[in-house]
Amino acid sequence: MDVTRKVIRAAGGLVCRSGDDGQLELVLVHRPAYDDWTFPKGKLHPGESEQEAALREVEEETGLRCRLEREVGLSSYRDARRRTKTVRYWEMRPIGGVLAPANEIDDVRWVPLADVPAALTYMRDVALLIQFEALE
């Protein structure tokens, strides 16, 4: 591996709420370019903090303005172009907006916590979900 290669930094959120039945629900997004279901996330802009990027990306992809809660964890992997990518995630709660897909997202939905593992495309997201559940 070329150690001079830049790491791609990104941030995102596990956006949660209590559903109508009182059970915890999380937002998942579908990206048609990858045909995957994942948590909302995206790359940092120059000069942007990870917290700022997480809030911006979640709003851009889901339409929800959120507040940061606890930090959930860090995911690190090789992206489709074989670059190292790190994504730092926070638990988030909606404070405004309307859930709707935008940008590279063609579907977005609230998913009951019990159904999230089966809905996620990547095992790294399942591992992040386990970290999130350990915080509860």
Side-chain angles (χ1 to χ4, degrees), residues 118-132:
L120 290 167
T121 300
Y122 305 109
M123 285 308 299
R124 64 179 173 260
D125 287 342
V126 174
L128 187 69
L129 180 65
I130 291 167
Q131 288 179 257
F132 171 75

Side-chain angles (χ1 to χ4, degrees), residues 69-105:
E69 303 265 325
R70 299 171 291 187
E71 185 171 353
V72 175
L74 181 75
S75 180
S76 182
Y77 58 95
R78 297 282 183 152
D79 69 8
R81 294 176 17 200
R82 305 293 305 145
R83 302 171 299 180
T84 299
K85 184 173 187 177
T86 63
V87 188
R88 194 170 164 196
Y89 289 93
W90 281 265
E91 175 184 353
M92 296 183 182
R93 299 285 172 163
I95 57 173
V98 176
L99 187 67
N103 290 340
E104 304 107 14
I105 306 303

